[in-house]
Amino acid sequence: MSYEFILVYREVAPYVAMIQLNRPKELNALNLQLMGEIRDALLDLDADDSIRAIVITGNDRAFAAGADIKQMAGKTAIDMLKIDQFTTWDTIRKTKKPLIAAVSGFALGGGCELVMHCDMIVASETAQFGQPEINIGVMPGAGGTQRLTKAVGKALAMEMVLTGRFISAEEAKAAGLINKVVPVELYLEEAVKMASACANKSPIAIQLAKESVLKSFDSHLQEGLYFERKNFYLLFATEDQKEGMAAFVEKRAADFKGK
Ligand code: CAA
């Protein structure tokens, strides 16, 4: 398969594949096509018996700076509902093989949410995690309010979601969001090592163990995700969303009116 916005490496180590997000000029902003490509690559790798674990990475400057604001800026709530982008995210979450995120630089908004769709997370010392949607008049829509809260607890999740503050890799590690922090030269290597540590186990045991760990919170998660999604769509009915995203595109401060 050929892709425009991702690179797929089928054997970075025995049984280990890697997907690299490849929109560097836009800090790997997650447009709909890029997300569709990640989904298609994961479906392909998940069905391939010669692959047992998958690393997802960006580049040193950015894992991903969020959903593509320019693509969303003019959308209405109904447009967003019809686009139904989160079905793609649900498919990504259903990947049976272990997903290891190798994160450096920005992992923001949808970028942080994509990281949280992975099973284990290795970060470079320069990684920054955040849910800054509030700065552009919206809120997380790809599981951020649910998965972040479960990972780091209410206090820090509220702070990140309501103030938009980024946290460093060290803080993310201390809060339980990620597994490991290493120097920037090593994050990819460490992520591949972690993937290899899964790849030499029984693939069936790995699949069922992964499914079981996810089951521990998935039933409550589904309800929370639907609730979050409706509110995310609803925000596209506000003038503040139009203002917040236009301000980002025009590189100026947003003037929110509460309408
Ligand atoms: N969408 C679209 N384009 C983006 C983007 C995004 N999320 N993030 C960065 N870019 C683009 C910038 O517009 C810029 O493009 P131009 O060169 O054409 O102007 C390019 O990437 C480089 O970005 P900056 O010049 O802004 O780089 P910086 O180092 O000054 O700042 C940053 C980096 C702090 C990450 C800043 O780019 C930023 O704040 N980005 C937006 C972060 C954000 O709000 N993410 C949440 C998106 S909404 C979401 O994800 C919803 C959801 O839950 C599904």
Side-chain angles (χ1 to χ4, degrees):
M1 281 193 214
S2 73
Y3 301 106
E4 186 179 348
F5 295 126
I6 61 171
L7 300 169
V8 178
Y9 303 89
R10 292 198 84 85
E11 200 175 309
V12 287
Y15 295 112
V16 177
M18 183 167 85
I19 297 175
Q20 180 176 25
L21 281 56
N22 191 30
R23 271 191 98 195
K25 281 216 311 276
E26 294 81 8
L27 306 183
N28 289 331
L30 304 167
N31 64 16
L32 296 172
Q33 187 182 336
L34 170 46
M35 288 310 299
E37 290 184 5
I38 295 174
R39 175 203 54 212
D40 291 348
L42 285 173
L43 285 171
D44 184 37
L45 296 171
D46 220 21
D48 181 343
D49 286 344
S50 70
I51 305 295
R52 293 184 179 174
I54 303 155
V55 173
I56 302 185
T57 195
N59 54 54
D60 290 356
R61 185 169 177 222
F63 178 82
D68 189 326
I69 300 170
K70 292 166 189 167
Q71 194 173 48
M72 290 185 298
K75 298 277 188 284
T76 66
I78 302 304
D79 293 334
M80 294 301 284
L81 192 77
K82 282 188 174 161
I83 291 169
D84 190 21
Q85 60 178 314
F86 300 121
T87 304
T88 302
W89 292 74
D90 290 342
T91 306
I92 291 171
R93 179 64 278 184
K94 285 186 190 138
T95 306
K96 297 188 184 79
K97 293 170 185 169
L99 295 181
I100 291 87
V103 182
S104 183
F106 300 113
L108 305 175
C112 189
E113 290 167 309
L114 181 58
V115 165
M116 290 188 285
H117 277 62
C118 296
D119 305 309
M120 290 179 277
I121 303 157
V122 176
S124 84
E125 287 163 345
T126 64
Q128 296 188 71
F129 300 85
Q131 296 291 158
E133 290 90 342
I134 205 72
N135 294 332
I136 52 168
V138 290
M139 57 176 274
T145 65
Q146 306 300 300
R147 293 194 177 90
L148 185 66
T149 310
K150 288 191 165 66
V152 306
K154 178 186 161 195
L156 184 56
M158 281 290 189
E159 187 182 339
M160 290 172 71
V161 172
L162 300 188
T163 74
R165 181 170 80 83
F166 301 169
I167 60 171
S168 67
E170 280 303 339
E171 195 174 354
K173 169 80 175 76
L177 180 63
I178 65 175
N179 296 77
K180 224 172 198 183
V181 185
V182 295
V184 67
E185 322 77 76
L186 293 180
Y187 72 98
L188 215 46
E189 192 180 318
E190 278 299 322
V192 172
K193 264 193 214 162
M194 208 172 247
S196 296
C198 305
N200 66 16
K201 310 288 191 297
S202 154
I204 298 175
I206 287 277
Q207 177 186 327
L208 296 185
K210 168 172 169 165
E211 200 179 289
S212 303
V213 174
L214 290 178
K215 197 73 185 169
S216 73
F217 61 88
D218 264 5
S219 42
H220 306 287
L221 182 65
Q222 272 317 322
E223 210 179 308
L225 286 175
Y226 287 127
F227 193 79
E228 179 192 79
R229 246 166 237 189
K230 294 287 178 211
N231 283 339
F232 179 75
Y233 293 145
L234 186 61
L235 285 167
F236 283 75
T238 66
E239 289 176 20
D240 281 352
Q241 172 268 329
K242 299 285 171 294
E243 165 63 11
M245 293 196 176
F248 175 82
V249 174
E250 291 157 21
K251 300 184 188 291
R252 61 175 173 80
D255 180 16
F256 294 122
K257 297 277 198 281
K259 289 196 216 164

